[in-house]
């Protein structure tokens, strides 16, 4: 409960004890005792809140996180540029940095050398030194084992089963928290974005693959094995299209970049193994669809219908207040059209309550990197709060 109080205060920026009592449904006595623990531990402090509108009476005392208690760095690794954000304990960005990098799979040593250069840049920009950093968070695409700190597979790495966190910690002497990018983006939404106001929501990412992050009761849900939720590999068709995971009928096989590129190659009368990147094929497909090419439009519409099925399944399973759809392909507006949402609602049981809200966000890499800071902050907070009792 101390943790929930702390996180509520951090999310709100400032919160009075009355806010805490009302939001978390605890007694006034508990709120007083637990916030006193957090204040004594040097995590929260009391500040004068905004005076009441009437101007009468003394201003209410509010609580806020003490920003300089801890600093963390969050990093998003990408194939062409890595991004970093250094934040204080309140989650406010102090400095950012980015590093261009050649786009090919690398050895873990090469990646760590790039990470080291990037961390130096962001530390210099923030006028901090490595000793100021309590933890680092890194998010990357691929299969990432958050608990073990290993990367069974990532498109960024030339080798499988990288012992990422152990190697990082040996080299930089600071704890590393590693996660897949869908979870990282979900944390960014939970801490800094639209999810702040919601206790239960889902994030669906559509890029090279289809990923998902889920927040239940204000916490990121990781499942029992800590590998992330693979919405992309839920089956939407028996004996359906071949997925790159090797199985058939996965949602991703109808919706992800590679699936659309595969169909684009056919529709645009190109050999699938012509030297066109999936990006180039997708761009061509989108241009054709906009120009009225029926075959191209049909591909996007069909993908949109599968997206509706996937979203409706998420609604039925988890009953989120909000689904955030995020991805680099947000410009392919067929996928995010009103018809897709209307179809999602048609495929969902209608019990007369207000329907689940769906928002689409197209974030730059720095927002993802902020999500990685949330990963680090969350771990540092866990430790700090656990140390109280
Ligand atoms: Zn699959």
């Amino acid at each position: 409960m101390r943790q929930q109080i702390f996180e509520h205060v951090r999310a709100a920026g400032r919160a009075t004890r009355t806010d805490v009592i009302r939001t978390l449904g605890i007694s006034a006595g508990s709120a007083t005792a637990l916030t006193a623990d957090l204040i004594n531990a040097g995590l929260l402090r009391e500040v004068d809140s905004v005076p009441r509108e009437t101007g009468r009476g003394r201003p209410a005392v509010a609580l806020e996180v003490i920003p300089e208690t801890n600093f963390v760095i969050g990093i998003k690794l990408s194939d062409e540029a890595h991004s970093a954000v250094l934040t204080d304990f309140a989650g406010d960005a102090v400095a950012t940095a980015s590093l261009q990098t050649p786009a090919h799979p690398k050895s873990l040593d090469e990646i760590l050398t790039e990470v080291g250069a990037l961390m130096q840049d962001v530390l210099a920009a923030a006028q901090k030194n490595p000793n100021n950093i309590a933890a680092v968070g890194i998010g990357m695409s691929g299969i990432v084992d958050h608990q073990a700190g290993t990367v069974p597979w990532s498109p960024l790495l030339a080798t499988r089963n990288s012992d990422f966190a152990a190697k990082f910690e040996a080299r930089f002497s600071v704890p590393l928290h590693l996660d897949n990018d869908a979870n990282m983006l979900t944390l960014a939404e939970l801490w800094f974005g639209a999810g702040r106001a919601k206790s239960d929501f889902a994030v669906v990412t559509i890029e090279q693959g289809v990923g998902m992050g889920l927040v239940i009761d204000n916490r990121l849900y990781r499942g029992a094995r800590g590998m992330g939720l693979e919405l992309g590999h839920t089956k939407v068709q028996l004996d359906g299209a071949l997925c790159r995971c090797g199985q058939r009928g996965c949602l991703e096989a109808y919706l992800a970049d590679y699936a659309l590129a595969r169909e684009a190659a056919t529709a645009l009368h190109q050999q699938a193994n012509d030297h066109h990147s999936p990006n180039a094929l997708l761009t061509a497909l989108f241009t054709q669809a906009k120009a009225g090419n029926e075959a191209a439009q049909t591909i996007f519409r069909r993908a949109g219908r599968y997206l509706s099925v996937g979203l409706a399944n998420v609604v039925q399973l988890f009953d989120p207040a909000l689904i955030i759809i995020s991805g680099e392909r947000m410009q392919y507006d067929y996928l995010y059209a009103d018809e897709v949402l209307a179809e999602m609602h048609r495929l969902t049981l209608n019990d007369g309550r207000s329907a689940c809200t769906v928002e689409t966000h197209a974030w730059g890499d720095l927002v993802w990197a902020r999500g990685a800071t949330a990963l680090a902050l969350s771990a540092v907070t866990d430790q700090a709060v656990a140390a109280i009792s």
Side-chain angles (χ1 to χ4, degrees), residues 232-233 235 243-247 250 252 258:
H233 303 285
K235 305 300 179 276
C243 180
R244 60 179 180 163
C245 73
Q247 300 192 351
C250 297
E252 198 172 290
Y258 73 88

Side-chain angles (χ1 to χ4, degrees), residues 3 16 33 37 76 116 118 142 151 174 178 242 273 282 291 297 331:
Q3 178 114 9
T16 62
D37 291 344
K76 170 169 166 64
L118 182 63
V151 184
V174 59
L178 195 64
L242 184 63
N273 55 359
L282 271 178
Q297 288 177 351
Q331 69 269 38

Side-chain angles (χ1 to χ4, degrees), residues 42-160:
L43 304 179
L44 295 182
R45 66 185 170 202
E46 291 186 325
V47 285
D48 284 345
S49 184
V50 188
R52 295 198 178 85
E53 277 173 19
T54 57
R56 276 176 279 131
R58 63 189 176 90
V61 171
L63 299 161
E64 70 173 18
V65 172
I66 302 176
E68 56 274 19
T69 306
N70 282 297
F71 296 91
V72 302
I73 295 174
I75 293 171
K76 170 169 166 64
L77 297 178
S78 299
D79 54 359
E80 288 176 9
H82 307 319
S83 312
V85 181
L86 189 153
T87 69
D88 61 29
F89 202 36
D92 290 322
V94 179
T96 64
S98 63
L99 181 80
Q100 299 299 312
T101 159
H104 59 79
K106 294 167 191 133
S107 71
L108 180 53
D109 266 352
E110 282 176 279
I111 289 258
L112 289 180
T113 300
E114 292 174 351
V115 166
L118 182 63
M119 289 200 299
Q120 265 180 4
D121 287 351
V122 80
L123 283 167
Q127 297 182 303
K128 300 283 171 207
N129 67 62
N131 296 332
N132 298 128
I133 303 304
V136 174
I138 291 183
M140 62 198 299
S141 56
I143 300 172
V144 178
D145 188 329
H146 169 70
Q147 278 152 6
T150 57
V151 184
W153 175 81
S154 167
L156 302 180
L157 285 166
T159 50
R160 285 176 175 261

